[in-house]
């Protein structure tokens, strides 16, 4: 009986009517059936042991096989790993299943939910819900920590059970909401726009504004939309119109696959032959052009290039009339700025509230820097499903934490801004487990606004990581600032401390503790007790008013009370952020060399010591950083810093540290060697009774003896192409950085032999 009911419920949108003895199959296509019997999308949870779930999967497949017009897509966590998740972009189906038994990621669920068409169904295959929270496999646990229960899953299951629109098929029972719940109100039975080209009035208006701005040669536009709003088809229609006018369009995105849906919109219209070629590598440019031109029409072209293409960053090539950046939030913001600066007419487009995360943080940082004439086009009308779709509403509320900053009155904002608020700020620090639902929503909303891409998977990682604390500052009962704190170091790293200090071990997590240990080359540093401020966010209406500093002050006070050795933080460096952290007592001890993929910024590592041993560490690291300011002097460098030099070079010759890690040291020694070409016995470095000084003297001797070594190491930057070229000029045949590193290691090794 339960299976019969399940069959009828699942297939109800695809039958004209149902009766007591079963369902009558429609002679029409399912799309026609949907017009006469329109339903919202639905969600079914199949939960139980493996045998039950496998049987349910077979039954569902048998049901859908009855209706040839139903399209089905089946996914597992493995099929959505890495870049595979993005492959679902643009595809559609009536029924999609996701097997969550081996792994669960919110981003996977949202990716699959987004391909289900109106009246369709998302089916989640899960273990028995009662035990699922205690048996979850995650990849983000830091060294030394264990996860016994998933708070995220507990909350997710609770919301599933409390949602009247969700159906359940379990070993105990089958609970199916009446299909009348999903009926669309009259007048909203279809999102079909009665135009020949556009899918909504909103889309047509957006196109008109793009077209008008381009006609005036003033096209600077930002298009934002949640998933399923027709952003890709809008871009495709607009690009087609430009091509018809003989214009040449330069199109870029993080990956070629991201724009396949955009290009497919052009291919759907008969405007000539269309040729596309997917690039074999990111460096190969791909061109789509329209052929079969008649005698009176000269068609333009559209060319896709990767984000690092020189065509995007030059004003010399005026072949391209418009540059379009799709999914702009996935491209480093500095690169987006450069593209805008080098092209007169451009369109930026990005998805908001999608399975890859909220682009709100990106938008908040981008909009203030847009020219006043730029237009912001927002698409809100769903096209793949009906308005007020219960599946979309569920995931937006449960997994994405939509922005909510309406808590403060104008009077409170003005009082805070003027420093005259009489209300008391309440400070709390706790685990995520102790947060009430409203607090959780408020905190996650702040974090989504503060960062470029805060994904659903990020939220799960924050809630379930046992090494995470959350500090919150409340005003009138509402969270206006929050900080995410990672517990690091201590006994958790005692067994791996030496391996970390030499570069041999890289255990999961403990980012700050590991970086400080690697920087100091001192194993005991790993065992200090740290709090690392992972993220900090302040309500955007009261930023730059001292709220963030107040929160940090209270966090520091609590850390001292709990005998934490030091607080550290790693962040994307900007002049403004550097000033914020140093103003609050933190000392920047290191700058990274590789830019972050999302922001384009290099990282800074800052430290605020509490204990005496942490203060001593800070003093040594500051001296280490200062020692590189004058690269041709060794005589005045403290012996403690020279000891760090030698320790790191020992690790390098042993193969546990990278060339990039020790390059500043080698460059400094090589520049010193230039001014001391013949080290004599009376130089202060030549002290056999001091192993550190004597080792440095031997290194200088080796560098001066081996001409190729000095030529390589005196380059100011560790540029791989430059190093390879230099060694090849010395008849040392190398083809890449790996071989360069081997040659340098081998050349320096004698300095460390007794």
């Amino acid at each position: 009986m339960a299976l019969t009911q399940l069959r009828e419920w699942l297939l109800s949108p695809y039958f004209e009517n149902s009766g007591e003895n079963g369902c009558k199959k429609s002679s029409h296509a399912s799309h026609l059936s949907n017009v006469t019997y329109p339903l919202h999308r639905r969600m079914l949870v199949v939960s139980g042991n493996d045998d039950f779930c496998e049987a349910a999967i077979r039954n569902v497949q048998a049901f859908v096989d009855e209706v040839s017009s139903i399209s089905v897509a089946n996914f597992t966590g493995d099929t959505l790993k890495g870049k595979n998740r993005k492959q679902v972009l643009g595809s559609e189906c009536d029924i999609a299943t996701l097997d969550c038994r081996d792994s669960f990621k919110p981003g996977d669920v949202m990716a699959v939910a987004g391909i289900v068409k109106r009246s369709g169904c998302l089916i989640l295959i899960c273990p028995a819900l009662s035990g699922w929270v205690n048996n979850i496999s995650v990849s983000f646990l830091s060294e030394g920590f264990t996860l016994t229960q998933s708070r995220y899953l507990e909350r997710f299951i609770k919301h599933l059970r409390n949602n009247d629109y969700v159906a359940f098929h379990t070993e105990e029972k089958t609970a199916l909401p009446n299909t009348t719940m999903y009926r669309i109100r009259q007048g909203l039975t279809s999102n079909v726009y009665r135009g020949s080209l556009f899918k909504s009035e909103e889309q047509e208006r957006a196109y008109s504004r793009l077209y008008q701005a381009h006609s005036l040669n003033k096209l600077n536009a930002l298009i934002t939309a949640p998933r399923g709003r027709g952003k890709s088809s809008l871009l495709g229609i607009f690009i087609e119109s430009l091509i018809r006018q003989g214009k040449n369009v330069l199109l870029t995105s993080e990956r070629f696959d991201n724009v396949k849906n955009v290009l497919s919109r052009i291919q759907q219209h008969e405007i000539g032959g269309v040729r596309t070629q997917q690039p074999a590598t990111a460096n190969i440019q791909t061109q789509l052009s329209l052929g079969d031109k008649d005698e009176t029409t000269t068609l333009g072209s559209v060319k896709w290039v990767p984000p690092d293409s020189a065509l995007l960053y030059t004003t010399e090539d005026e072949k391209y009339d418009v540059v379009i950046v799709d999914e702009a939030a996935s491209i480093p913001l500095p690169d987006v700025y450069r593209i805008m600066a080098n092209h007169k007419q451009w369109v930026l487009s990005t998805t908001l509230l999608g399975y890859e995360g909220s682009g709100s943080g990106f938008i908040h940082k981008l909009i203030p820097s847009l020219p006043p004439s730029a237009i912001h086009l927002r698409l809100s009308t769903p096209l793949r499903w009906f308005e007020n779709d219960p599946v979309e509403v569920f995931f937006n509320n449960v997994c994405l934490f939509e922005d909510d900053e309406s808590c403060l009155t104008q009077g409170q904002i003005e009082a805070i801004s003027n420093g005259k608020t009489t209300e008391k700020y309440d400070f709390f620090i706790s685990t995520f487990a102790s947060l009430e639902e409203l607090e959780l929503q408020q905190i996650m909303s702040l974090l989504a606004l503060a960062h470029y891409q805060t994904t659903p998977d990020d939220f799960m990682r924050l809630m379930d990581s046992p090494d995470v604390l959350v500090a919150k500052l409340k005003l009138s009962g509402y969270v206006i600032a929050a900080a995410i704190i990672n517990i690091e170091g201590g006994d958790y790293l005692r067994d791996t401390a030496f391996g970390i200090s030499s570069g041999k071990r890289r255990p999961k997590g403990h980012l700050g503790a590991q970086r400080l240990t690697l920087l100091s080359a001192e194993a005991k540093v790993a065992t200090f007790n740290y709090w690392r401020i992972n993220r900090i966010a302040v309500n955007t209406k009261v930023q730059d008013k001292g709220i963030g500093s107040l929160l940090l002050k209270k966090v520091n006070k609590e850390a001292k009370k709990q005998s934490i050795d030091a607080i550290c933080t790693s962040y994307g460096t900007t002049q403004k952020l550097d000033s914020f952290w140093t103003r609050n007592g933190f000392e920047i001890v290191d700058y990274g060399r590789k830019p972050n993929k999302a922001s384009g910024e290099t990282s800074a590592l800052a430290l605020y010591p509490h204990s005496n041993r942490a203060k001593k560490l800070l003093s040594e690291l500051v001296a280490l950083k200062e020692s590189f300011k004058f690269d041709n002097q060794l005589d005045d460098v403290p012996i403690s810093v020279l000891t760090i030099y030698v320790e790191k070079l020992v690790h390098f010759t042993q193969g546990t540290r990278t060339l990039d890690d020790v390059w500043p040291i080698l460059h400094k020694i090589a520049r010193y060697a230039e001014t001391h070409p013949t080290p004599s016995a009376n130089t202060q470095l030549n002290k056999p009774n001091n192993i550190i000084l004597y080792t440095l003297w031997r290194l200088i001797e080796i560098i001066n003896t081996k001409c190729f070594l000095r030529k390589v190491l005196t380059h100011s930057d560790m540029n791989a192409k430059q190093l390879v070229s230099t060694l090849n000029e010395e008849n040392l045949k190398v083809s890449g950085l790996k071989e360069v590193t081997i040659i340098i290691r081998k050349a320096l090794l004698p300095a460390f032999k007794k």
Side-chain angles (χ1 to χ4, degrees):
M1 185 65 180
L3 288 178
T4 301
Q5 291 174 331
L6 180 61
R7 171 181 170 273
E8 291 184 6
W9 182 86
L10 187 64
L11 301 182
S12 57
Y14 310 101
F15 292 118
E16 285 185 333
N17 55 67
S18 58
E20 187 177 337
N21 296 319
C23 298
K24 177 182 176 183
K25 187 183 294 188
S26 170
S27 60
H28 303 288
S30 63
H31 296 294
L32 181 59
S33 175
N34 287 345
V35 173
T36 60
Y37 188 28
L39 296 178
H40 274 306
R41 297 189 304 167
R42 297 155 297 153
M43 184 157 48
L44 169 66
V45 175
V46 175
S47 172
N49 62 41
D50 285 345
D51 289 341
F52 176 83
C53 288
E54 293 297 333
I57 293 170
R58 290 193 297 270
N59 288 327
V60 166
Q61 188 61 53
F63 298 159
V64 300
D65 285 345
E66 296 181 33
V67 184
S68 60
S69 57
I70 296 181
S71 55
V72 182
N74 302 303
F75 300 95
T76 66
D78 285 340
T79 61
L80 295 171
K81 274 186 179 178
K83 295 180 180 179
N84 292 337
R85 186 193 281 180
K86 294 187 178 182
Q87 300 297 328
V88 302
L89 271 176
S91 59
E92 293 182 343
C93 67
D94 294 297
I95 295 176
T97 69
L98 175 62
D99 194 333
C100 304
R101 287 175 292 171
D102 291 331
S103 67
F104 175 86
K105 290 185 178 179
D108 288 350
V109 182
M110 293 193 68
V112 175
I115 72 173
V116 178
K117 296 185 292 186
R118 62 185 61 169
S119 301
C121 186
L122 170 67
I123 303 177
L124 302 181
I125 315 296
C126 312
L129 299 183
S130 58
W132 193 13
V133 295
N134 300 316
N135 294 281
I136 182 170
S137 174
V138 296
S139 59
F140 50 74
L141 284 178
S142 296
E143 178 79 8
F145 289 89
T146 57
L147 179 64
T148 57
Q149 184 176 354
S150 171
R151 293 187 288 269
Y152 188 96
L153 259 183
E154 184 178 27
R155 176 177 175 272
F156 184 79
I157 293 169
K158 179 180 178 181
H159 280 273
L160 282 175
R161 283 175 164 156
N162 291 340
N163 192 301
D164 293 335
Y165 288 94
V166 178
F168 290 89
H169 178 50
T170 69
E171 296 178 74
E172 292 79 23
K173 64 178 181 177
T174 299
L176 305 171
N178 194 302
T179 53
T180 57
M181 287 186 61
Y182 303 99
R183 285 182 185 250
I184 310 300
R185 287 187 295 123
Q186 192 169 6
L188 295 175
T189 57
S190 175
N191 291 355
V192 176
Y193 181 56
R194 304 304 176 187
S196 58
L197 184 60
F198 301 98
K199 295 185 176 181
S200 70
E201 183 179 355
E202 185 178 58
Q203 194 183 57
E204 184 172 17
R205 286 199 306 267
Y207 169 83
S208 297
R209 294 194 66 186
L210 291 173
Y211 189 88
Q212 182 182 29
H214 176 260
S215 300
L216 297 172
N217 200 29
K218 295 180 179 178
L219 179 57
N220 292 160
L222 169 66
I223 304 171
T224 59
R227 197 173 174 203
R229 265 60 180 180
K231 179 174 59 66
S232 294
S233 59
L234 170 63
L235 289 177
I237 294 167
F238 181 59
I239 291 172
E240 177 198 333
S241 71
L242 295 177
I243 293 172
R244 284 185 180 277
Q245 298 174 53
K247 304 298 182 182
N248 296 311
V249 179
L250 196 60
L251 175 65
T252 189
S253 58
E254 182 188 22
R255 298 168 64 244
F256 178 77
D257 287 344
N258 291 1
V259 295
K260 279 184 175 179
N261 208 28
V262 175
L263 300 179
S264 70
R265 307 297 171 177
I266 302 171
Q267 293 170 305
Q268 290 173 3
H269 305 286
E270 296 179 0
I271 54 176
V274 180
R275 297 190 301 274
T276 61
Q277 176 188 356
Q278 182 165 348
T281 70
N283 295 321
I284 297 177
Q285 296 178 346
T286 298
Q287 187 162 10
L288 176 151
S289 60
L290 302 173
D292 300 338
K293 305 173 184 178
D294 59 39
E295 295 180 358
T296 60
T297 305
T298 301
L299 295 177
S301 67
V302 57
K303 183 171 188 173
W304 179 86
V305 294
D308 60 356
S309 170
L311 290 175
L312 295 167
Y313 308 108
T314 178
T315 56
E316 297 176 4
D317 191 341
E318 298 182 357
K319 176 183 176 182
Y320 298 98
D321 302 278
V322 177
V323 172
I324 295 178
V325 183
D326 194 27
E327 295 303 341
S330 64
I331 296 174
L333 199 52
D335 290 348
V336 175
Y337 289 149
R338 287 174 60 205
I339 293 170
M340 291 160 54
N342 282 290
H343 297 275
K344 185 175 182 181
Q345 298 204 87
W346 45 261
V347 177
L348 310 178
S349 172
T350 200
T351 303
L352 297 178
L353 300 178
Y355 72 89
E356 292 179 287
S358 169
S360 301
F362 172 86
I363 296 304
H364 274 270
K365 289 174 173 61
L366 174 68
I367 286 178
S369 58
L370 292 177
S373 59
I375 55 177
H376 185 181
L377 303 174
R378 300 172 176 87
L379 302 179
S380 59
T381 304
L383 303 179
R384 193 173 293 165
W385 44 80
F386 297 112
E387 289 193 60
N388 303 315
D389 172 71
V391 175
E392 182 179 49
V393 170
F394 174 84
F395 285 113
N396 283 354
N397 291 338
V398 177
C399 300
L400 280 181
F401 303 99
E402 292 181 280
D403 305 339
D404 179 13
E405 290 203 308
S406 59
C407 61
L408 296 176
T409 66
Q410 189 58 39
Q412 287 174 317
I413 294 170
E414 291 176 0
I416 293 171
S417 300
N418 298 327
K420 295 180 179 179
T421 181
T422 57
E423 296 182 71
K424 180 186 176 184
Y425 293 105
D426 294 313
F427 171 77
F428 305 91
I429 191 164
S430 66
T431 63
F432 269 96
S434 63
L435 294 179
E436 299 292 334
E437 177 67 19
L438 181 60
E439 285 183 321
L440 180 66
Q441 291 277 352
Q442 293 168 0
I443 290 167
M444 295 305 200
S445 175
L446 287 177
L447 295 174
L449 283 171
H451 297 270
Y452 289 96
Q453 284 286 0
T454 304
T455 71
D457 294 343
D458 288 337
F459 289 134
M460 182 176 184
R461 184 162 46 247
L462 289 175
M463 287 184 65
D464 277 352
S465 294
D467 56 329
V468 166
L469 299 173
V470 57
K472 53 188 182 288
L473 198 64
K474 301 178 76 171
L475 185 68
S476 299
Y478 198 97
V479 180
I480 63 167
I484 302 300
I485 300 168
N486 284 77
I487 301 167
E488 297 189 352
D491 289 337
Y492 299 110
L493 295 183
R494 194 166 300 281
D495 294 339
T496 56
F498 182 78
I500 293 170
S501 69
S502 65
K504 188 176 182 179
R505 294 288 306 273
R506 296 286 176 90
K508 283 187 177 181
H510 303 272
L511 185 152
Q514 289 201 70
R515 193 168 166 187
L516 288 165
T517 305
L518 198 62
L519 193 62
S520 65
E522 179 60 65
K524 66 182 180 183
V525 170
T527 64
F528 292 2
N529 294 301
Y530 302 97
W531 277 1
R532 176 172 62 88
I533 298 180
N534 185 334
R535 303 185 182 196
I536 186 167
V538 177
N539 186 300
T540 57
K541 295 177 181 177
V542 289
Q543 285 180 355
D544 300 319
K545 307 301 179 186
I547 301 299
S549 296
L550 177 62
L551 178 61
L552 279 181
K553 183 179 179 181
K554 292 182 178 295
V555 169
N556 262 310
K557 186 176 180 180
E558 183 64 26
K560 192 170 185 179
K561 187 188 300 183
Q562 296 194 29
S563 300
I564 300 300
D565 286 295
I567 295 180
C568 61
T569 186
S570 180
Y571 60 92
T573 179
T574 63
Q575 187 174 358
K576 183 178 180 180
L577 282 177
D578 285 354
S579 175
F580 169 78
W581 289 105
T582 54
R583 192 170 63 247
N584 283 285
F586 285 75
E587 186 85 42
I588 298 171
V589 295
D590 187 43
Y591 286 104
R593 288 174 283 280
K594 293 182 180 179
N596 179 273
K597 290 181 180 180
S599 66
E601 300 160 349
T602 55
S603 67
L605 178 65
L607 190 68
Y608 188 113
H610 285 292
S611 67
N612 288 333
R613 60 179 183 173
K615 291 175 182 177
K616 181 174 181 292
L617 169 65
L618 175 62
S619 176
E620 291 173 350
L621 293 182
V622 169
L624 176 65
K625 187 179 71 167
E626 292 292 315
S627 73
F628 296 119
K629 289 187 176 179
F630 305 100
D631 63 7
N632 62 342
Q633 297 181 19
L634 281 176
D635 299 329
D636 299 327
V637 176
I639 188 66
S640 60
V641 173
L642 295 179
T643 301
I644 296 174
Y645 283 8
V646 172
E647 283 293 328
K648 289 186 174 183
L649 290 175
V650 169
H651 301 153
F652 171 70
T653 58
Q654 291 173 343
T656 58
R657 279 186 189 262
T658 64
L659 179 59
D660 178 68
D661 193 16
V662 297
W663 185 263
I665 298 172
L666 290 174
H667 176 71
K668 184 177 181 69
I669 295 172
R671 289 295 304 275
Y672 183 85
E674 277 189 317
T675 59
H676 298 76
T678 54
S680 59
N682 61 0
T683 179
Q684 64 174 351
L685 291 179
N686 185 14
K687 295 182 178 179
N689 61 329
N690 187 312
I691 189 63
I692 300 300
L693 297 177
Y694 186 64
T695 300
L696 286 169
W697 179 81
R698 293 181 68 182
L699 283 168
I700 294 167
E701 193 173 42
I702 289 172
I703 290 171
N704 280 325
T705 302
K706 299 181 184 294
C707 182
F708 76 87
L709 199 55
R710 188 168 64 198
K711 284 186 177 181
V712 167
L713 297 179
T714 49
H715 285 305
S716 57
D717 297 314
M718 200 198 82
N719 181 291
K721 290 183 179 178
Q722 194 176 46
L723 300 188
V724 168
S725 176
T726 300
L727 287 181
N728 284 333
E729 288 172 4
E730 296 294 316
N731 296 319
L732 292 165
K733 296 180 180 179
V734 295
S735 58
L737 189 59
K738 184 177 181 180
E739 290 172 296
V740 171
T741 302
I742 291 172
I743 287 175
I744 295 175
R745 276 184 177 140
K746 192 175 293 185
L748 296 178
L749 192 57
F752 302 96
K753 292 182 177 178
K754 293 182 180 180

